[in-house]
Amino acid sequence: MIADRKWSEACNVRNRRTTKTRTIIMTHWMQEIQNEVGQWSEANFGDPENAPADMPLIGAGEEIGELTTSVLKRRQGIDDSEKYEDIVGPEAEKDAIGDITIYMLDAVHRMPYDADVSRTFETQRLNEAGYYADDEDDISTIREIYRTYAKVSDLEICTDNEKDFHIEYAVGTFFAVLNEFCVLRGYDYEQCVRDAWIEVSDRKWDADVER
């Protein structure tokens, strides 16, 4: 797992082979949504100086919990229970994956530096591709999601001259692990994110909340 490797090795994975066309495609959709999320977020919740990354980071954590609930209950064989209707199963997981990504893109936008996570997502996606395919182990992938989420959170609050560089790779790896979960489940990661973004961007938000 990525958490068991030296972080410096993960950050220096730069020369993975891929075609130019595929790189452009992958970069395009992630960068497109990242830009749209940033504009939408500022319009609804204010600029990054007044509304920092903490809130969307916590929101991503909340959605990871929802994804975990579905994975756990399905493993326990109780996904058909009325108690867990609408929060367990493929549709619930796709929704959670999309929401996690939107929250994290918002958090990145609100961090005080420019991070192009689409580029590092592609690099790390290729690095992680097939890592869990043999085991089909959704539980291990969930654990990896938590570990890479924790890495992003740790970097967001630290001080480092190369913090923006490390954030790019931390978030790119986080998204790559989400993508691997989708591969295990047979979901289309890009479609999960696009569907969530359509739903989120159409909501009416009241940002006047007490802090």
Side-chain angles (χ1 to χ4, degrees):
M1 294 182 184
I2 194 69
D4 298 325
R5 305 168 190 155
K6 291 183 179 179
W7 187 251
S8 59
E9 292 178 359
C11 290
N12 289 322
V13 177
R14 297 173 181 272
N15 296 318
R16 297 286 171 175
R17 293 182 178 179
T18 183
T19 65
K20 184 176 180 181
T21 301
R22 187 174 182 81
T23 301
I24 291 172
I25 291 172
M26 294 304 297
T27 299
H28 175 266
W29 76 261
M30 180 71 77
Q31 186 66 54
E32 171 194 346
I33 295 177
Q34 181 180 350
N35 292 338
E36 291 178 1
V37 168
Q39 295 171 7
W40 169 88
S41 181
E42 286 199 28
N44 282 273
F45 304 108
D47 60 52
E49 291 185 2
N50 297 318
D54 306 57
M55 297 301 285
L57 271 176
I58 293 172
E62 179 185 22
E63 294 294 335
I64 292 172
E66 293 189 8
L67 178 62
T68 303
T69 296
S70 178
V71 171
L72 177 62
K73 299 309 177 187
R74 293 179 74 180
R75 272 296 192 99
Q76 293 172 331
I78 58 175
D79 53 305
D80 291 330
S81 171
E82 290 184 5
K83 179 180 179 180
Y84 298 103
E85 187 178 3
D86 298 328
I87 63 173
V88 173
E91 294 307 312
E93 291 177 1
K94 292 176 187 177
D95 184 64
I97 290 163
D99 287 344
I100 291 166
T101 305
I102 298 303
Y103 269 122
M104 188 61 75
L105 289 173
D106 187 12
V108 170
H109 175 75
R110 294 184 173 280
M111 294 176 188
Y113 33 78
D114 185 23
D116 181 5
V117 297
S118 61
R119 178 183 58 201
T120 51
F121 162 66
E122 173 66 4
T123 300
Q124 296 300 81
R125 183 188 67 82
L126 294 170
N127 187 37
E128 293 296 309
Y131 193 82
Y132 305 93
D134 292 337
D135 296 334
E136 296 186 353
D137 191 345
D138 50 0
I139 297 297
S140 292
T141 315
I142 288 291
R143 292 175 62 190
E144 189 70 1
I145 288 170
Y146 276 105
R147 276 192 286 266
T148 51
Y149 169 77
K151 187 66 180 181
V152 175
S153 298
D154 286 345
L155 286 170
E156 200 281 324
I157 61 175
C158 79
T159 57
D160 188 323
N161 291 334
E162 295 185 341
K163 186 175 174 181
D164 53 343
F165 169 78
H166 293 303
I167 280 287
E168 281 190 9
Y169 272 86
V171 177
T173 303
F174 176 73
F175 288 158
V177 178
L178 284 177
N179 182 71
E180 279 298 292
F181 180 87
C182 290
V183 171
L184 284 175
R185 288 290 207 232
Y187 306 154
D188 184 324
Y189 181 45
E190 178 182 349
Q191 195 61 54
C192 290
V193 178
R194 288 193 180 279
D195 289 345
W197 175 229
I198 290 171
E199 181 180 350
V200 169
S201 61
D202 283 344
R203 293 176 188 165
K204 293 182 179 180
W205 296 86
D206 181 5
D208 296 328
V209 296
E210 294 184 6
R211 297 187 182 277

PDB file of all heavy atoms in Angstrom, residues 4 34 54-55 63 65-66 76 110-111 118 120 126 132-133 136 159 184 190 197 201:
ATOM      1  N   ASP A   4       2.627   2.344   3.131  1.00  0.00           N
ATOM      2  CA  ASP A   4       3.766   1.571   3.580  1.00  0.00           C
ATOM      3  C   ASP A   4       5.028   1.875   2.790  1.00  0.00           C
ATOM      4  O   ASP A   4       6.079   1.328   3.060  1.00  0.00           O
ATOM      5  CB  ASP A   4       3.452   0.069   3.487  1.00  0.00           C
ATOM      6  CG  ASP A   4       2.290  -0.312   4.383  1.00  0.00           C
ATOM      7  OD1 ASP A   4       2.176   0.282   5.463  1.00  0.00           O
ATOM      8  OD2 ASP A   4       1.504  -1.185   3.981  1.00  0.00           O
ATOM      9  N   GLN A  34     -12.501  20.905 -11.220  1.00  0.00           N
ATOM     10  CA  GLN A  34     -11.808  21.637 -10.164  1.00  0.00           C
ATOM     11  C   GLN A  34     -12.041  23.144 -10.313  1.00  0.00           C
ATOM     12  O   GLN A  34     -12.323  23.844  -9.335  1.00  0.00           O
ATOM     13  CB  GLN A  34     -10.309  21.331 -10.205  1.00  0.00           C
ATOM     14  CG  GLN A  34      -9.516  22.041  -9.102  1.00  0.00           C
ATOM     15  CD  GLN A  34      -8.024  21.717  -9.150  1.00  0.00           C
ATOM     16  OE1 GLN A  34      -7.594  20.835  -9.883  1.00  0.00           O
ATOM     17  NE2 GLN A  34      -7.237  22.431  -8.378  1.00  0.00           N
ATOM     18  N   ASP A  54     -10.748  24.050   5.933  1.00  0.00           N
ATOM     19  CA  ASP A  54     -11.144  23.130   7.007  1.00  0.00           C
ATOM     20  C   ASP A  54     -12.517  22.501   6.801  1.00  0.00           C
ATOM     21  O   ASP A  54     -12.687  21.288   6.986  1.00  0.00           O
ATOM     22  CB  ASP A  54     -11.142  23.863   8.358  1.00  0.00           C
ATOM     23  CG  ASP A  54      -9.823  24.554   8.642  1.00  0.00           C
ATOM     24  OD1 ASP A  54      -9.422  25.392   7.813  1.00  0.00           O
ATOM     25  OD2 ASP A  54      -9.209  24.273   9.686  1.00  0.00           O
ATOM     26  N   MET A  55     -13.496  23.327   6.429  1.00  0.00           N
ATOM     27  CA  MET A  55     -14.865  22.837   6.335  1.00  0.00           C
ATOM     28  C   MET A  55     -15.035  21.791   5.233  1.00  0.00           C
ATOM     29  O   MET A  55     -15.591  20.715   5.478  1.00  0.00           O
ATOM     30  CB  MET A  55     -15.839  24.005   6.151  1.00  0.00           C
ATOM     31  CG  MET A  55     -15.864  24.961   7.329  1.00  0.00           C
ATOM     32  SD  MET A  55     -16.335  24.147   8.887  1.00  0.00           S
ATOM     33  CE  MET A  55     -18.097  23.964   8.629  1.00  0.00           C
ATOM     34  N   GLU A  63     -18.247  12.151   4.243  1.00  0.00           N
ATOM     35  CA  GLU A  63     -18.667  11.309   3.123  1.00  0.00           C
ATOM     36  C   GLU A  63     -17.882   9.997   3.071  1.00  0.00           C
ATOM     37  O   GLU A  63     -18.423   8.962   2.655  1.00  0.00           O
ATOM     38  CB  GLU A  63     -18.504  12.074   1.807  1.00  0.00           C
ATOM     39  CG  GLU A  63     -19.424  13.281   1.659  1.00  0.00           C
ATOM     40  CD  GLU A  63     -20.892  12.894   1.574  1.00  0.00           C
ATOM     41  OE1 GLU A  63     -21.186  11.754   1.165  1.00  0.00           O
ATOM     42  OE2 GLU A  63     -21.741  13.733   1.901  1.00  0.00           O
ATOM     43  N   GLY A  65     -17.063   8.415   5.662  1.00  0.00           N
ATOM     44  CA  GLY A  65     -17.813   7.614   6.629  1.00  0.00           C
ATOM     45  C   GLY A  65     -19.038   6.966   6.012  1.00  0.00           C
ATOM     46  O   GLY A  65     -19.353   5.803   6.306  1.00  0.00           O
ATOM     47  N   GLU A  66     -19.725   7.687   5.137  1.00  0.00           N
ATOM     48  CA  GLU A  66     -20.903   7.122   4.478  1.00  0.00           C
ATOM     49  C   GLU A  66     -20.507   5.994   3.524  1.00  0.00           C
ATOM     50  O   GLU A  66     -21.203   4.966   3.445  1.00  0.00           O
ATOM     51  CB  GLU A  66     -21.646   8.231   3.729  1.00  0.00           C
ATOM     52  CG  GLU A  66     -22.278   9.273   4.653  1.00  0.00           C
ATOM     53  CD  GLU A  66     -23.189  10.229   3.917  1.00  0.00           C
ATOM     54  OE1 GLU A  66     -23.452  10.004   2.713  1.00  0.00           O
ATOM     55  OE2 GLU A  66     -23.647  11.199   4.546  1.00  0.00           O
ATOM     56  N   GLN A  76     -21.255  -7.415   5.706  1.00  0.00           N
ATOM     57  CA  GLN A  76     -21.990  -8.125   6.747  1.00  0.00           C
ATOM     58  C   GLN A  76     -23.241  -8.799   6.214  1.00  0.00           C
ATOM     59  O   GLN A  76     -23.923  -9.527   6.936  1.00  0.00           O
ATOM     60  CB  GLN A  76     -22.363  -7.157   7.877  1.00  0.00           C
ATOM     61  CG  GLN A  76     -21.160  -6.632   8.653  1.00  0.00           C
ATOM     62  CD  GLN A  76     -21.539  -5.545   9.638  1.00  0.00           C
ATOM     63  OE1 GLN A  76     -22.500  -4.807   9.428  1.00  0.00           O
ATOM     64  NE2 GLN A  76     -20.785  -5.440  10.726  1.00  0.00           N
ATOM     65  N   ARG A 110      -9.307  26.125  -1.671  1.00  0.00           N
ATOM     66  CA  ARG A 110      -9.238  27.040  -0.537  1.00  0.00           C
ATOM     67  C   ARG A 110      -7.900  27.004   0.196  1.00  0.00           C
ATOM     68  O   ARG A 110      -7.700  27.731   1.160  1.00  0.00           O
ATOM     69  CB  ARG A 110     -10.387  26.746   0.423  1.00  0.00           C
ATOM     70  CG  ARG A 110     -11.726  27.047  -0.207  1.00  0.00           C
ATOM     71  CD  ARG A 110     -12.927  26.871   0.690  1.00  0.00           C
ATOM     72  NE  ARG A 110     -14.101  27.372  -0.020  1.00  0.00           N
ATOM     73  CZ  ARG A 110     -14.424  28.654  -0.113  1.00  0.00           C
ATOM     74  NH1 ARG A 110     -13.668  29.560   0.482  1.00  0.00           N
ATOM     75  NH2 ARG A 110     -15.480  29.040  -0.801  1.00  0.00           N
ATOM     76  N   MET A 111      -6.988  26.158  -0.267  1.00  0.00           N
ATOM     77  CA  MET A 111      -5.646  26.161   0.309  1.00  0.00           C
ATOM     78  C   MET A 111      -4.835  27.292  -0.324  1.00  0.00           C
ATOM     79  O   MET A 111      -5.049  27.638  -1.482  1.00  0.00           O
ATOM     80  CB  MET A 111      -4.979  24.801   0.066  1.00  0.00           C
ATOM     81  CG  MET A 111      -5.665  23.673   0.811  1.00  0.00           C
ATOM     82  SD  MET A 111      -4.940  22.043   0.443  1.00  0.00           S
ATOM     83  CE  MET A 111      -6.118  20.959   1.276  1.00  0.00           C
ATOM     84  N   SER A 118      -5.220  17.481 -11.068  1.00  0.00           N
ATOM     85  CA  SER A 118      -5.537  16.637 -12.224  1.00  0.00           C
ATOM     86  C   SER A 118      -4.282  15.958 -12.768  1.00  0.00           C
ATOM     87  O   SER A 118      -4.306  14.786 -13.145  1.00  0.00           O
ATOM     88  CB  SER A 118      -6.194  17.483 -13.319  1.00  0.00           C
ATOM     89  OG  SER A 118      -5.323  18.502 -13.770  1.00  0.00           O
ATOM     90  N   THR A 120      -1.420  15.275 -11.084  1.00  0.00           N
ATOM     91  CA  THR A 120      -0.885  14.270 -10.166  1.00  0.00           C
ATOM     92  C   THR A 120      -1.849  13.103  -9.988  1.00  0.00           C
ATOM     93  O   THR A 120      -1.424  11.983  -9.714  1.00  0.00           O
ATOM     94  CB  THR A 120      -0.572  14.901  -8.795  1.00  0.00           C
ATOM     95  OG1 THR A 120      -1.715  15.621  -8.323  1.00  0.00           O
ATOM     96  CG2 THR A 120       0.596  15.864  -8.902  1.00  0.00           C
ATOM     97  N   LEU A 126      -2.031   5.867 -12.549  1.00  0.00           N
ATOM     98  CA  LEU A 126      -1.259   4.853 -13.247  1.00  0.00           C
ATOM     99  C   LEU A 126      -0.389   4.062 -12.280  1.00  0.00           C
ATOM    100  O   LEU A 126      -0.184   2.857 -12.429  1.00  0.00           O
ATOM    101  CB  LEU A 126      -0.397   5.509 -14.329  1.00  0.00           C
ATOM    102  CG  LEU A 126      -1.177   6.144 -15.490  1.00  0.00           C
ATOM    103  CD1 LEU A 126      -0.243   6.963 -16.370  1.00  0.00           C
ATOM    104  CD2 LEU A 126      -1.885   5.080 -16.298  1.00  0.00           C
ATOM    105  N   TYR A 132      -5.047  -3.376  -6.297  1.00  0.00           N
ATOM    106  CA  TYR A 132      -5.948  -4.192  -5.491  1.00  0.00           C
ATOM    107  C   TYR A 132      -6.725  -5.207  -6.329  1.00  0.00           C
ATOM    108  O   TYR A 132      -7.567  -5.925  -5.815  1.00  0.00           O
ATOM    109  CB  TYR A 132      -6.945  -3.303  -4.745  1.00  0.00           C
ATOM    110  CG  TYR A 132      -6.295  -2.244  -3.897  1.00  0.00           C
ATOM    111  CD1 TYR A 132      -6.066  -0.974  -4.405  1.00  0.00           C
ATOM    112  CD2 TYR A 132      -5.876  -2.527  -2.608  1.00  0.00           C
ATOM    113  CE1 TYR A 132      -5.452   0.007  -3.639  1.00  0.00           C
ATOM    114  CE2 TYR A 132      -5.255  -1.560  -1.837  1.00  0.00           C
ATOM    115  CZ  TYR A 132      -5.048  -0.302  -2.362  1.00  0.00           C
ATOM    116  OH  TYR A 132      -4.432   0.652  -1.598  1.00  0.00           O
ATOM    117  N   ALA A 133      -6.451  -5.246  -7.623  1.00  0.00           N
ATOM    118  CA  ALA A 133      -7.286  -6.029  -8.541  1.00  0.00           C
ATOM    119  C   ALA A 133      -7.256  -7.523  -8.224  1.00  0.00           C
ATOM    120  O   ALA A 133      -8.268  -8.207  -8.352  1.00  0.00           O
ATOM    121  CB  ALA A 133      -6.837  -5.794  -9.982  1.00  0.00           C
ATOM    122  N   GLU A 136      -9.304  -8.084  -4.912  1.00  0.00           N
ATOM    123  CA  GLU A 136     -10.668  -7.550  -4.891  1.00  0.00           C
ATOM    124  C   GLU A 136     -11.071  -7.245  -3.446  1.00  0.00           C
ATOM    125  O   GLU A 136     -12.150  -7.606  -2.991  1.00  0.00           O
ATOM    126  CB  GLU A 136     -11.655  -8.520  -5.549  1.00  0.00           C
ATOM    127  CG  GLU A 136     -11.368  -8.737  -7.027  1.00  0.00           C
ATOM    128  CD  GLU A 136     -12.444  -9.575  -7.703  1.00  0.00           C
ATOM    129  OE1 GLU A 136     -13.326 -10.086  -6.984  1.00  0.00           O
ATOM    130  OE2 GLU A 136     -12.404  -9.697  -8.922  1.00  0.00           O
ATOM    131  N   THR A 159       3.578  23.469   7.981  1.00  0.00           N
ATOM    132  CA  THR A 159       4.293  24.528   7.275  1.00  0.00           C
ATOM    133  C   THR A 159       5.495  23.901   6.592  1.00  0.00           C
ATOM    134  O   THR A 159       6.288  23.205   7.212  1.00  0.00           O
ATOM    135  CB  THR A 159       4.761  25.626   8.239  1.00  0.00           C
ATOM    136  OG1 THR A 159       5.584  25.037   9.258  1.00  0.00           O
ATOM    137  CG2 THR A 159       3.571  26.320   8.873  1.00  0.00           C
ATOM    138  N   LEU A 184     -12.599  -1.691  -8.571  1.00  0.00           N
ATOM    139  CA  LEU A 184     -13.004  -2.909  -7.877  1.00  0.00           C
ATOM    140  C   LEU A 184     -14.509  -3.142  -7.965  1.00  0.00           C
ATOM    141  O   LEU A 184     -14.967  -4.266  -8.141  1.00  0.00           O
ATOM    142  CB  LEU A 184     -12.599  -2.832  -6.398  1.00  0.00           C
ATOM    143  CG  LEU A 184     -11.135  -3.042  -6.049  1.00  0.00           C
ATOM    144  CD1 LEU A 184     -10.918  -2.805  -4.563  1.00  0.00           C
ATOM    145  CD2 LEU A 184     -10.676  -4.437  -6.429  1.00  0.00           C
ATOM    146  N   GLU A 190     -15.030   8.929 -13.090  1.00  0.00           N
ATOM    147  CA  GLU A 190     -15.368  10.222 -13.684  1.00  0.00           C
ATOM    148  C   GLU A 190     -16.873  10.463 -13.660  1.00  0.00           C
ATOM    149  O   GLU A 190     -17.334  11.555 -13.326  1.00  0.00           O
ATOM    150  CB  GLU A 190     -14.851  10.307 -15.116  1.00  0.00           C
ATOM    151  CG  GLU A 190     -15.231  11.613 -15.800  1.00  0.00           C
ATOM    152  CD  GLU A 190     -14.762  11.686 -17.251  1.00  0.00           C
ATOM    153  OE1 GLU A 190     -13.968  10.814 -17.671  1.00  0.00           O
ATOM    154  OE2 GLU A 190     -15.200  12.619 -17.956  1.00  0.00           O
ATOM    155  N   TRP A 197     -21.400  16.379  -9.072  1.00  0.00           N
ATOM    156  CA  TRP A 197     -21.236  17.802  -9.323  1.00  0.00           C
ATOM    157  C   TRP A 197     -22.515  18.419  -9.897  1.00  0.00           C
ATOM    158  O   TRP A 197     -22.900  19.530  -9.515  1.00  0.00           O
ATOM    159  CB  TRP A 197     -20.060  18.038 -10.270  1.00  0.00           C
ATOM    160  CG  TRP A 197     -19.867  19.459 -10.693  1.00  0.00           C
ATOM    161  CD1 TRP A 197     -19.699  19.916 -11.963  1.00  0.00           C
ATOM    162  CD2 TRP A 197     -19.819  20.615  -9.851  1.00  0.00           C
ATOM    163  NE1 TRP A 197     -19.561  21.279 -11.968  1.00  0.00           N
ATOM    164  CE2 TRP A 197     -19.623  21.734 -10.674  1.00  0.00           C
ATOM    165  CE3 TRP A 197     -19.932  20.805  -8.484  1.00  0.00           C
ATOM    166  CZ2 TRP A 197     -19.532  23.035 -10.184  1.00  0.00           C
ATOM    167  CZ3 TRP A 197     -19.841  22.106  -7.969  1.00  0.00           C
ATOM    168  CH2 TRP A 197     -19.646  23.202  -8.817  1.00  0.00           C
ATOM    169  N   SER A 201     -24.123  21.348  -7.645  1.00  0.00           N
ATOM    170  CA  SER A 201     -24.132  22.691  -8.233  1.00  0.00           C
ATOM    171  C   SER A 201     -25.546  23.226  -8.433  1.00  0.00           C
ATOM    172  O   SER A 201     -25.740  24.440  -8.557  1.00  0.00           O
ATOM    173  CB  SER A 201     -23.387  22.699  -9.569  1.00  0.00           C
ATOM    174  OG  SER A 201     -23.999  21.816 -10.502  1.00  0.00           O
TER     175      SER A 201
END
